[in-house]
Structure formats: structure tokens, C-alpha cells
Amino acid sequence: MVLGNYKTVVSARSTDKEILKGAQDGGIVTTLFAYALDEDIIDGAIVAAPSRSKPWRGHWDIWRAEPRVVTTRQELLASQKTGYNICPMVTPVKDAVRMHGLDRVGVVGVPCQIQGFRKAQLYPIAMRDVPDKLALVLGIFCMEVFPYQSIVQLVEDHLGKKIDSVKKMEVGKGKFTVRTERGETASIPLKDTHKYEQPGCHVCLDYVANLADISSGSVGSPDGWSTVFVRSKKGEQIWNEAMTAGMFETKPMDQVKPGLDIVKKLATEKITKNRKTLDSRATFGVGKGLRNPYLNL
Amino acid sequence: MQRISNIFKKQEPEKPVTKKFVEKKAESGMKEGKPVAEKIRAGHVHESGCTGCLVALADNYEGILKILDRYVDWVYDLTLADTRHIPKMDVALIEGSVCLQDKIAVEEVKKARENSAIVVAIGSCACTGNINRFDRGGQANQPQHESFVPLSDLIDVDVFVPCCPPTPEQLRNAVLMAYLLLKGTDDQKKLAGRYLQPLMNLAKSPFFSKASFNTLMQEVINQGLCMGCGSCAAACPVRAITMEYGKPQGERDLCINCGACFAQCPRGFFDHGLTEQYESIMELIQEVLK
Amino acid sequence: MTKVVEISPTTRHEGHSKLVLKVNEEGIIERGDWLSITSVRGLEKVAYGKNMEQVPKIVSRVCGICPVAHTLAATEAIEASICCEVPRDAHVLRVILQCANRLHSHALHNILTLPDMYLPGTDKKINPFSPEEPVRSVAKRIQRLREIGQTICEIAGGQSIHPNNPRIGGMYMNVSPRAKNKMYDLTKEAIPLAKAQMDFMIAVLRNYQKREWAEVGGKQVPIPKNLGYHNQGYMATDPVYGTTSFAENPSWDAERFMEVRPWDWYMSEVEIDLADASYPVGGTTPVGVKANPRIEACNGVPLYDGQPVEVGPRARLSRFKGFDEKGTIGQQVARQMEYMDDCYAMLSHIDELNTSGKVLADEIPRGDGTCLAWATNEAPRGTDVHFARVRDGKIHDYSMLVPTTWNFPTCSQALAGAPWQLAEVIMRGYDPCVSCATHMIVIDDDKKILAQKLIQ
Ligand code: SF4
Ligand code: SF4
Ligand code: SF4
Ligand SMILES: [Fe+2]
């Protein structure tokens, strides 16, 4: 089951013009959070935001992602841009339910981070008051992410662009592409980026955030649209309400190109490759292996 | 309770609940238990800890009243009950490290092992030594009290519930799962066994009872497993961990050796199949406490 | 003829302790020793040489019921030693944290006390875990009060058990306006519950006071009218919070204090020659066993003007409000009376909190090692004093003088005159926290040393 449990999968796009303008793809996450804030489903959300640039680190830090607790639509919109580098989304979850005073928290993350959130719910070893406060868990498809320095080297060395001139970064169609403020685009084949990936991604067995309430990503849907898996009961309820409220326009997955098959193909590729990595880790040294964290695989 | 069978329909076949538990249960002399056959006998044994672990259990608020009403006979607990000597129990929750130079403490912890089917080490003092790893004696009125060790240095421990303090929710889950393991249907036993398995693995781990921030480095980052989720930083009860460029940085001068960062890390342990059932497991827990 | 009976371990309090009692032919205590038998972790010695930021986190773990007291006393003793003033809003957050902890702790102590007490109008002792009414509603109310206390602790302090928001120089984070409102609403909810709980407890306590006897192990034991009386005097430093050596007018005088080892104050070796197997639950220590309190004691004996004193709710009420009821019941009533003041203090400080105020000092000195400073914190069980000397960010001297340490020798005095079967009732009146009490400083040789260091 490379795509995990889900109730429905559709291709969708936000109907909110303001959100779409700044959106990476179909604006699913931002729209769902905006809707949930509006409808009082969540008190606030933890989102990835550009690090507040610190002058002493240089202004190029705007592409470095940092988790932030937001409680208003304005704050939410200000944090739409992200750049494929590691953003530790679980970090502020306890502060969110304590000093921020949130009783219902929306969270978003790539598959492994959603695993972290669900583990926090099922095994709340150090997560007092977190398990019952995650009101909306949104997942994002992910093949791998990069350390921030990898992004800098890809953009500035491989593509020859100053990182602070980049307006948009994209991974898709086998390429890593950036568009700069001067309207230029530059890209390199994804295979050239592999060596810069975060090593921990190579043992990840989830491509489409199987454990989220709702997960989404651009793969499988046309440009400007997102593929959306509605997974949990809670996810289904919120999704249906948002649909009724007209937050999204949707198309059935079997009527869009390239469709669900490509999602399945990429998911299978990722999981097969990473299972192999896990196997090879078991015999990595001479009569010695590396640790495998997974039980009952 | 209906739901548990549903949970197992979706589950792949798996190892049966460890034999040791079943055997021990048989010999623990349950006949002398109260007439309420479905309840388990459990208690709290206090060693060199701060009672914070017990307070955390009591911080299930109304939930703890329900647990005591329905599932657990609380047979021993110097703080909450009157019994003075450790009786036979199904589940002993032991808090605190053991002082090797304190005869009473060493005897007590051995007695607790002897008298209990399942020993759960609650809190980091019991699991990893926690701040007691810093102790070095020399203090009035017992300057010879110098060596404090986690439980598993002296006795076999079945389940670890680390963190300082452990959380009410995790203690609740461990107690309810222990109940299901002993008194549940076959399916419930299987679920409980699978749920408790990683916590049992921690108890048997060659490194975890020596945990500190270094453990996170050695067993996650150094092993190429970290994916930068930040669970460790959120977990740390003393704010010793910050995320620097997506990876944990530990302030070792703050770390108290609680092991929570490693235990909470999804790359510390993770069971995909079980976690996939998070909805039904959480519903189950809610339901049994309704 | 005097006989010796030993109750070990004592129950329904934090930690391990025991009672060694010399009793007359009627079973009345002539002399009692109450002592800690909890392993001595020596966390004060642990502190030596450690980073000043870490020490409050370590000593918080002395006690999981009153961790707030230890965190704050440690933090403020260190701040006093390095001469660091914390911003106003950090202080306000700390006071909120303090009140929230006291709310939970007093409520928890109600659970530990109730099994000794009777439902008014009946001869039935109260089992707080019984699902029957009216007890179940009381248990739920207690748990709700604790939940409110612990939740507010968590918001203001980051964690309820071992708070992690306080730090040297202030707090890590201020709270959001939403969190402030949440604390306010919770406190408002607590006020009527606390009032009802106070009324209930006082009624139960007064009822006990009027009773002729209490049932212990199947026997009717007469309750003396002077249960728990002593003439040791009281010590308190603030109705709610505490003071430090850095304050303009410190309300505690370190020069009047000294601490000695139990050798001078406790019995030497005795042999148990009275035993009662029916004493609940599990009986007293069998005849023939030897006890040696002065050697076994894991606590010290702190003195104020050369005598043990009582600390805690009654001491606070006596010093600041003229409350003067003696004995165990007076002490217990005083604890219940603190509920309301605690809630109001919490509410007014929540009101006072500016959520956009800064909570961390701009400059945090590292300490030059000249100043042995102290801070007191009025923990639920009484005055908690921590001493610290800091040099270059490292701890050079560290000592703790925690509430139950003060109360050990005082309570020992208060045991005399009561039937031995009620010794634990007297002891529980002090809400003992024994793990705390195994931490102490001992300055028996020359108390001037401390005084001199303080003056520097
Ligand atoms: S683990 Fe923490 S809460 Fe538990 S006894 Fe130890 S110090 Fe106290
Ligand atoms: S919790 Fe584990 S995987 Fe997540 S950031 Fe920390 S070490 Fe890395
Ligand atoms: S870094 Fe924090 S969570 Fe990890 S062992 Fe140290 S104190 Fe515990
Ligand atoms: Fe205490």
C-alpha cells in the first residue's frame, strides 16, 4: 500500500485568489488552514516560514525555512513560501499548546514529520498535552529534502544564481527549477541533486504522507493543481465542509493528466529504493550493520 | 471494545505476545485478588525519585478515577494508599533510581521484581538514571550514598516509560495496554503486545539505560537516520535542544540524561503498521475511559 | 514503663520516612522521632562546579509535587548571587506559576488527608477513591482544581512538573494574549471550586476535632484535644511568594539560622519492644528490631534562633494574618484557608501581566564569586531556602533548606501527648515531602562562616 489508507483522492485547486497568487501549487494547505481558522476548527497552526532574516547572517537567509506558530490569516499568508530545506515542524508543538495557549493546533509537514506528530500522539513519551490537541494534520508529498547548505550550493554553484534573487523554487518533471526576480528560469536534472540530499531521507518509507488527515502535492495533477488524499475521519469531515463552503474546485483523479499512476509510480520507486537502502545498511560494515529504527516491517 | 477486532483485521500476522508475560502471570498468585475478576493488581514503588512520576499518573485527573474504578486495583503506593509492604502484583510501576549503598532500597526493588508479573520503570530516574547519574555522594547525613543506578542495572525490567517527568498520557497508555495484555481478548492481547513492544525493547536496549543527549547523536544522527523533524527538541524537558539549520544541537551542560529525545524521535523507534492504526487506537483509549 | 514502637514506613505522603515512638503504659507518646529514610541523593553536592543554568533544573527534580518552589528558589538564589534583576513581567509569570503550583499541591494533600477523616455525621472514614457520593464529587472537584493548577503551571512555566520556562535572568518566553485569557478563565473557574473545597475540608476537619475517638486497626483510639500541639514557634517569609538576599528589605534573616546534624536531636539506639500487627496496613515493626534514629536519619535539623520551627500554611497565616489555632487541625484548617488567597493572588497577577513585556534581562552577569546569596520561596509546605555562590557562571557553593526539613524536628516535638496510633495523623498535617527533606546544609561548627560569607 504505497499510497496509504485514504477515503478519496481528487485533483483540487483553491478558489481563494489571494492564496493562489502566492501558492506553490493548488494552495491546498494554506486554504485549509485559512478555512479552519475562520471556522474555528483550529486556534492556530504551525507552518513553515522564511527565517526572520538576521542581518549578521546576510539577507540570503530568507530561503531558510523555520517553523512558526500563526494564529491569523495574515500571518498564514506571509508564510507561504518554502524552499525544500529541512524545516523542523514538530519543534514548537509543545510551546504552541502552552505559552501560545492553543487548544486546537493545525500542523503541516512532510511524511516523516507527520510520523513524528503521530508518534507524539500514540507514544506521547515527552509530549504531554499534545495528543488531543492536534486538530488538523496536513501532509505534503515528499521525495526528499535538503540541508539548507545544499540548496545554497545548488542555486549558487550549479545554477549560478544569487539565492536571494530567487522568487520560486520547484521540484517537478525530473528537474529542480528556480525562477529569479529578473524572470529567468534555470534548472538542473534531479539526478544531479541527489548527492546533496539529507541522508535520513534515504530510509523514509512514505511518499504521500500516509498518516496525515489530508495530504497533498503537485504530482499527478496539472500545473497549478494539487493531488489531494483525504485520509482520516477528521480529514474527511473537514474536507467535505470546506468543499461545501466552496473553498476548492476539484476534478476526479481519473480525468486529469498525468493522474494517479504517476503518484503510485513515484511512491513505489521511493519506497523500493529506500527499502533497499535499509537492507544494505544491515550489512554496511564488515560483519557489522547500521541501526534500523523500524519495528515489524 | 468491539473496535479492537477491527484493528486486527487490517494487521499483518505477527509475533505472539512474549511467552514470559503469560508464564509469569500464571505464577503471580492472582487467586488472592479481589472478586472483581477483570481488574489487575497494580501499585507504585518509590525509589530515589521525586514522586513527579506519580503526580504525572495522577494528572490523568478524572481518567485516573475511571482507571481505578474499572481496570486496576491499586494495591500498593506509599503516597496514595496505606499498605506498608510490597504485596504480589500484576504490574509494578517503579519510580526512581536505586542507591546501591541503601540496603532498604535495594531490598525493596528486588522484592518488587519478585512479587510482580510485569515491572514497568516509570520516569527517567528509573529508566536511565536521569539526574541521579550526576550524584557522587559526600552529603550529610548519609555521605556514603554515592551510587545511584537505573532499575535495569539490578533487575529485569519489562517496560520503560521514560521522560522526566513521564507524561500522564503515556503512563495511562502503558497501564491500559498492560491491562489488555493480561485481561484482554486474544486480539487485544496482540495489540497490547505490539504497542508495548518498543517500550520493552527500550528496557532491553544495550544503550538506552545510559541515555543522554549523546545517545540521540550516536544512535540517530551518527547512524544517518535523522530527518530533521524536531521531535527531539520539542521532547526535551529542560530545553537543552535547539534546532540549528534543521538538526538538533544539544546543550550538554543543560542535559539531564533523561533519554526523552531519543525515545520520542521517530527514528529512535517507529512501527509503521501500528501507527497506521492511530485513529482506532486513540478511539479505543478514549472509549475505555468514557 | 516506657516502651518503643516503630511505624516504618509511614504512608500517604511523599517519600520514605519512619516514626520511632517512646510511649507510656497508656500508649501515649512521651517522645517521638520522625525521620527521613529516603536515600540521600546529594543534589547540593552535585551542584558544585556545575553550570548555573543547569542547577535549577537539577534541583527542581528534588520534588515533583513542589518543583516550582525549588526551581524558583534556585533561580532566584543564583540571580541574587550574580546580582541580576529580572524584568517585571518575568516576575509576574513566576508568581502565577507559584500560585498555580500551590493550588494543585493543596488539593493533592486533601486526597492524602481524607482517609484519616470521617464523613460528618457518620462513623465512616473517607476513601477518596470510592465511586460513591458524596465522595466522588469531592474527588472530581479535587482533580479539577489540580488540573487547573497544573494547566496554568504549564502555560506560565512550560511544564507543570519541573517547569522549564524559568531561567537565570527571567523566563524563556512570555505567553500570548490568548494564553493569558485562558489562564484568567481557568482561575475564574477555580475560585468557586476552591471555595467549596475549602468549606468541605474545614467541615470535615472540625468534625474530626469534635470526635471522641478515631478507629485505627479495629480499635477506638481517643483523640486528645491537644492533638499535635507544640510550642516551637513559626517561620514564614511571605504570604505567597518569597524574598531574597538581594531584596531591599529581606523578610528572612540568615544570621538567625543554623543547621545541625540529627545526632544532637534524635534518639540513640533503641530496641522495639511494642508491636501491633493490626496497625493498618501491615502492622508496626516487630519486637526485637533495633532502631537508631540519630544514625539512620537522612534529614538534618535546621534551627532558627537555636530551635526547630514550624513552616507552612499555619506559619504563614500566623505571621501575616494573626491566625493562632494550634494543633494538627489548626494546621490543616490553615492550609484550606490558603486556597482563596492563592486564587486571588493568581488572578491579580494574571491581570497584571503584560504579554508584550520583555521577560529576559538584557544583561546576565556571570558572577564574581564574592556573594553567597539566598532566596526563599513559600512552597506549599513552607519556606524553601536555597543558597548559592556563583563565579564565572559556575556554582561554587550550593545549599538547600527545604520545608519538610524544618518540619521534621518540629513535628517530632508535636507528637508528644498523643496516642501513638495517631502519630501519622499528626505527621500528615505537615504535608510532608520527604524527598525534599533529605536535602540540607549542615553548618554546625561555626554558623559565623555562613554569616560572614553573606556579608561579603
Ligand atoms: S523521572 Fe523526573 S519526575 Fe520522575 S522521579 Fe525522576 S526526577 Fe522525578
Ligand atoms: S527527532 Fe530524531 S529525526 Fe527528528 S530531528 Fe530529532 S534526531 Fe532528527
Ligand atoms: S537532551 Fe534533553 S531530552 Fe535529551 S537526554 Fe538530555 S535532557 Fe533528555
Ligand atoms: Fe516537595
Side-chain angles (χ1 to χ4, degrees):
Chain A
M1 278 285 287
V2 294
L3 300 181
N5 300 326
Y6 59 89
K7 301 192 192 294
T8 49
V9 56
V10 289
S11 190
R13 182 168 77 171
S14 175
T15 54
D16 187 321
K17 293 277 145 19
E18 191 188 5
I19 290 177
L20 268 185
K21 223 171 77 198
Q24 194 82 8
D25 307 301
I28 307 296
V29 170
T30 311
T31 305
L32 275 169
F33 277 157
Y35 172 76
L37 275 174
D38 239 23
E39 292 301 311
D40 225 16
I41 296 166
I42 57 173
D43 300 328
I46 301 172
V47 296
S51 106
R52 296 195 201 280
S53 43
K54 294 175 187 155
W56 53 272
R57 273 187 185 160
H59 47 291
W60 46 265
D61 252 6
I62 50 163
W63 277 101
R64 185 162 68 88
E66 215 173 61
R68 190 165 306 154
V69 178
V70 298
T71 53
T72 62
R73 184 182 161 97
Q74 291 93 297
E75 289 173 312
L76 184 64
L77 290 186
S79 59
Q80 263 182 298
K81 189 163 66 172
T82 54
Y84 300 98
N85 60 97
I86 311 162
C87 179
M89 301 301 284
V90 188
T91 313
V93 72
K94 274 161 76 184
D95 289 345
V97 303
R98 288 165 173 68
M99 288 77 151
H100 290 274
L102 308 186
D103 290 318
R104 296 159 304 173
V105 189
V107 298
V108 56
V110 289
C112 58
Q113 299 177 331
I114 302 303
Q115 291 178 348
F117 284 117
R118 293 304 184 201
K119 180 171 175 181
Q121 286 185 297
L122 218 49
Y123 292 96
I125 287 167
M127 293 284 185
R128 181 168 178 165
D129 276 336
V130 171
D132 60 346
K133 296 207 165 49
L134 300 184
L136 180 56
V137 178
L138 301 181
I140 300 167
F141 303 174
C142 172
M143 203 46 107
E144 70 278 309
V145 299
F146 299 91
Y148 182 69
Q149 186 61 28
S150 300
I151 298 289
V152 174
Q153 287 176 212
L154 284 169
V155 173
E156 299 198 341
D157 298 348
H158 289 250
L159 298 173
K161 307 288 174 216
K162 184 73 185 147
I163 194 159
D164 62 304
S165 75
V166 172
K167 294 293 268 189
K168 187 168 182 179
M169 285 186 200
E170 232 175 336
V171 171
K173 310 199 176 72
K175 284 179 301 187
F176 174 73
T177 310
V178 300
R179 210 172 45 241
T180 71
E181 59 192 8
R182 289 180 298 140
E184 291 179 315
T185 54
S187 57
I188 44 164
L190 269 185
K191 65 172 172 33
D192 294 351
T193 67
H194 290 330
K195 73 169 284 221
Y196 294 111
E197 289 160 11
Q198 165 175 249
C201 295
H202 298 154
V203 295
C204 177
L205 303 179
D206 186 348
Y207 174 56
V208 283
N210 295 353
L211 299 174
D213 290 323
I214 299 169
S215 54
S216 64
S218 62
V219 175
S221 289
D223 282 354
W225 289 68
S226 296
T227 304
V228 178
F229 289 95
V230 180
R231 298 181 178 281
S232 67
K233 281 184 211 156
K234 194 190 275 168
E236 188 177 39
Q237 192 190 337
I238 295 173
W239 179 257
N240 288 347
E241 285 168 14
M243 285 299 295
T244 313
M247 305 306 294
F248 298 103
E249 46 179 324
T250 63
K251 293 178 189 165
M253 259 336 267
D254 50 12
Q255 287 171 30
V256 296
K257 286 267 162 356
L260 200 58
D261 283 347
I262 179 81
V263 186
K264 211 177 280 170
K265 180 170 161 267
L266 289 178
T268 310
E269 269 175 32
K270 172 175 178 178
I271 293 166
T272 315
K273 176 172 74 80
N274 290 352
R275 274 188 184 264
K276 269 200 204 114
T277 307
L278 276 167
D279 288 344
S280 67
R281 284 171 58 92
T283 54
F284 197 82
V286 181
K288 286 174 193 275
L290 298 171
R291 201 172 69 82
N292 182 344
Y294 300 137
L295 290 95
N296 299 313
L297 253 194
Chain B
M1 298 277 200
Q2 191 50 35
R3 269 201 189 79
I4 299 185
S5 46
N6 296 341
I7 290 173
F8 271 92
K9 259 184 235 143
K10 287 185 235 154
Q11 212 170 283
E12 310 117 18
E14 50 154 318
K15 282 181 260 165
V17 174
T18 53
K19 218 169 137 221
K20 191 175 159 204
F21 276 177
V22 183
E23 281 166 8
K24 277 204 180 149
K25 184 195 154 196
E27 57 187 47
S28 81
M30 218 82 66
K31 279 151 272 152
E32 64 188 25
K34 294 242 178 83
V36 201
E38 309 82 51
K39 282 191 168 185
I40 55 168
R41 289 163 58 86
H44 169 257
V45 181
H46 181 265
E47 295 306 332
S48 286
C50 75
T51 311
C53 302
L54 180 66
V55 174
L57 180 65
D59 283 359
N60 278 294
Y61 309 118
E62 271 200 60
I64 194 70
L65 298 177
K66 287 182 179 156
I67 288 175
L68 297 182
D69 286 350
R70 295 174 202 168
Y71 308 109
V72 176
D73 269 331
W74 201 240
V75 294
Y76 180 73
D77 179 346
L78 288 182
T79 300
L80 293 178
D82 269 325
T83 319
R84 280 167 225 278
H85 307 291
I86 300 175
K88 296 251 189 233
M89 294 182 262
D90 298 313
V91 180
L93 307 177
I94 310 185
E95 160 179 351
S97 309
V98 191
C99 175
L100 299 184
Q101 291 81 22
D102 185 339
K103 234 174 82 192
I104 305 179
V106 174
E107 273 166 21
E108 235 174 37
V109 81
K110 287 183 182 168
K111 176 103 178 157
R113 174 68 277 185
E114 217 174 278
N115 280 4
S116 321
I118 300 176
V119 168
V120 184
I122 62 167
S124 295
C125 291
C127 298
T128 65
N130 206 34
I131 52 162
N132 302 310
R133 291 289 196 188
F134 299 134
D135 296 351
R136 48 182 184 244
Q139 178 145 330
N141 196 39
Q142 309 293 344
Q144 75 285 6
H145 287 182
E146 175 176 289
S147 324
F148 290 74
V149 296
L151 297 182
S152 56
D153 277 16
L154 297 183
I155 59 169
D156 278 334
V157 177
D158 300 303
V159 177
F160 269 14
V161 180
C163 196
C164 177
T167 62
E169 295 93 334
Q170 185 60 63
L171 289 167
R172 173 201 67 195
N173 291 1
V175 168
L176 289 177
M177 290 298 174
Y179 170 81
L180 292 180
L181 192 64
L182 295 173
K183 302 281 172 178
T185 62
D186 284 353
D187 280 348
Q188 289 170 331
K189 284 196 169 112
K190 234 191 259 172
L191 169 73
R194 185 161 179 181
Y195 180 89
L196 292 172
Q197 195 188 339
L199 304 178
M200 292 163 61
N201 291 352
L202 287 181
K204 299 283 174 284
S205 155
F207 59 80
F208 188 72
S209 68
K210 300 178 172 57
S212 69
F213 176 75
N214 283 6
T215 308
L216 189 77
M217 292 304 294
Q218 290 156 2
E219 299 298 329
V220 182
I221 307 255
N222 296 169
Q223 291 285 308
L225 292 169
C226 174
M227 43 64 178
C229 65
S231 298
C232 49
C236 181
V238 294
R239 294 179 181 270
I241 303 179
T242 52
M243 298 301 289
E244 304 296 344
Y245 284 79
K247 299 282 157 161
Q249 138 68 14
E251 193 59 46
R252 284 173 53 191
D253 265 359
L254 281 183
C255 171
I256 55 168
N257 317 316
C258 76
C261 45
F262 175 81
Q264 193 68 61
C265 169
R267 297 288 166 85
F269 69 81
F270 195 79
D271 183 336
H272 288 84
L274 185 86
T275 315
E276 236 165 55
Q277 300 156 37
Y278 72 93
E279 262 187 301
S280 44
I281 296 174
M282 285 173 61
E283 276 168 16
L284 169 77
I285 290 170
Q286 260 176 19
E287 199 171 299
V288 298
L289 288 179
K290 214 181 264 156
Chain C
M1 207 197 75
T2 305
K3 292 199 163 184
V4 181
V5 59
E6 182 191 82
I7 302 172
S8 175
T10 50
T11 62
R12 272 188 280 124
H13 58 76
E14 197 284 342
H16 289 222
S17 75
K18 72 176 184 179
L19 288 157
V20 181
L21 309 166
K22 286 187 175 161
V23 304
N24 68 16
E25 264 143 45
E26 278 83 57
I28 302 297
I29 299 166
E30 290 177 340
R31 149 127 205 213
D33 276 359
W34 173 43
L35 52 141
S36 162
I37 48 169
T38 302
S39 318
V40 177
R41 286 183 284 168
L43 296 182
E44 302 86 326
K45 284 287 187 311
V46 164
Y48 280 72
K50 281 223 173 339
N51 189 317
M52 66 175 178
E53 283 285 355
Q54 189 182 27
V55 168
K57 304 187 188 265
I58 290 175
V59 299
S60 173
R61 279 142 177 101
V62 160
C63 178
I65 301 177
C66 55
V68 169
H70 297 307
T71 302
L72 294 180
T75 306
E76 292 177 5
I78 291 168
E79 284 164 353
S81 178
I82 60 176
C83 302
C84 175
E85 206 164 330
V86 307
R88 175 188 159 280
D89 288 300
H91 177 74
V92 173
L93 279 171
R94 288 177 184 181
V95 179
I96 296 169
L97 181 58
Q98 169 87 355
C99 295
N101 174 255
R102 188 182 289 180
L103 180 63
H104 129 78
S105 178
H106 280 7
L108 181 66
H109 187 251
N110 288 171
I111 297 182
L112 309 186
T113 290
L114 281 173
D116 290 326
M117 301 291 142
Y118 289 83
L119 264 184
T122 72
D123 281 335
K124 208 172 141 201
K125 281 197 176 175
I126 300 172
N127 168 10
F129 299 108
S130 157
E132 281 160 37
E133 292 298 348
V135 175
R136 180 45 60 98
S137 307
V138 174
K140 283 187 181 168
R141 184 168 66 211
I142 289 174
Q143 286 293 65
R144 183 60 190 156
L145 282 168
R146 289 188 54 249
E147 183 169 10
I148 291 172
Q150 294 286 64
T151 307
I152 295 176
C153 273
E154 217 170 63
I155 295 171
Q159 285 193 147
S160 47
I161 308 169
H162 309 317
N164 63 16
N165 198 18
R167 51 165 293 173
I168 309 300
M171 302 290 264
Y172 280 93
M173 290 170 77
N174 202 335
V175 305
S176 72
R178 179 192 294 267
K180 172 177 163 166
N181 292 341
K182 185 173 166 185
M183 294 195 289
Y184 185 91
D185 294 354
L186 285 168
T187 311
K188 277 294 208 183
E189 185 192 339
I191 288 172
L193 295 178
K195 173 76 169 56
Q197 184 61 18
M198 171 184 79
D199 291 346
F200 172 82
M201 286 304 295
I202 292 178
V204 164
L205 292 161
R206 292 292 178 219
N207 174 68
Y208 187 88
Q209 204 169 25
K210 280 194 228 107
R211 289 183 66 91
E212 297 290 316
W213 52 266
E215 184 268 330
V216 182
K219 294 185 200 71
Q220 292 189 357
V221 177
I223 304 173
K225 290 300 153 211
N226 61 351
L227 185 75
Y229 276 40
H230 69 73
N231 288 309
Q232 294 302 130
Y234 307 120
M235 187 187 86
T237 64
D238 192 84
V240 175
Y241 195 72
T243 181
T244 77
S245 56
F246 194 48
E248 251 170 61
N249 298 304
S251 49
W252 189 73
D253 187 352
E255 282 187 56
R256 293 167 64 188
F257 140 82
M258 69 188 290
E259 182 167 16
V260 297
R261 282 189 288 265
W263 193 268
D264 302 342
W265 289 81
Y266 282 107
M267 294 176 213
S268 51
E269 189 175 79
V270 287
E271 189 174 315
I272 312 300
D273 49 8
L274 175 68
D276 182 352
S278 69
Y279 187 74
V281 174
T284 63
T285 306
V287 168
V289 175
K290 294 207 168 67
N292 196 339
R294 62 158 58 153
I295 288 188
E296 289 163 353
C298 295
N299 56 293
V301 178
L303 310 171
Y304 204 62
D305 296 334
Q307 279 290 328
V309 291
E310 178 183 320
V311 297
R314 174 171 48 201
R316 290 189 284 260
L317 260 60
S318 148
R319 170 153 181 200
F320 296 104
K321 301 195 171 72
F323 179 91
D324 65 355
E325 187 174 339
K326 292 182 76 153
T328 299
I329 299 299
Q331 182 178 39
Q332 290 270 29
V333 166
R335 183 169 297 113
Q336 316 313 318
M337 288 173 66
E338 282 199 326
Y339 266 126
M340 300 310 287
D341 191 24
D342 184 66
C343 289
Y344 292 132
M346 188 149 71
L347 197 66
S348 64
H349 282 85
I350 293 169
D351 254 339
E352 222 178 274
L353 179 69
N354 171 7
T355 54
S356 43
K358 78 171 187 198
V359 292
L360 190 61
D362 293 328
E363 210 193 312
I364 302 170
R366 308 285 295 162
D368 58 10
T370 56
C371 178
L372 177 63
W374 53 263
T376 75
N377 179 286
E378 286 295 330
R381 295 151 189 80
T383 313
D384 183 18
V385 193
H386 288 219
F387 299 80
R389 191 155 60 93
V390 183
R391 187 172 160 196
D392 251 352
K394 300 261 191 270
I395 300 294
H396 271 233
D397 274 313
Y398 205 83
S399 293
M400 304 162 65
L401 194 54
V402 311
T404 304
T405 314
W406 291 103
N407 283 338
F408 261 107
T410 311
C411 172
S412 295
Q413 304 288 321
L415 294 168
W420 69 264
Q421 293 92 338
L422 298 184
E424 281 191 288
V425 176
I426 298 173
M427 171 206 74
R428 287 184 194 118
Y430 287 82
D431 188 4
C433 218
V434 180
S435 295
C436 286
T438 52
H439 299 275
M440 57 183 155
I441 62 182
V442 172
I443 305 170
D444 54 347
D445 306 330
D446 186 0
K447 72 170 181 172
K448 290 274 157 34
I449 296 174
L450 176 68
Q452 276 165 9
K453 282 181 186 164
L454 282 165
I455 292 162
Q456 280 172 1

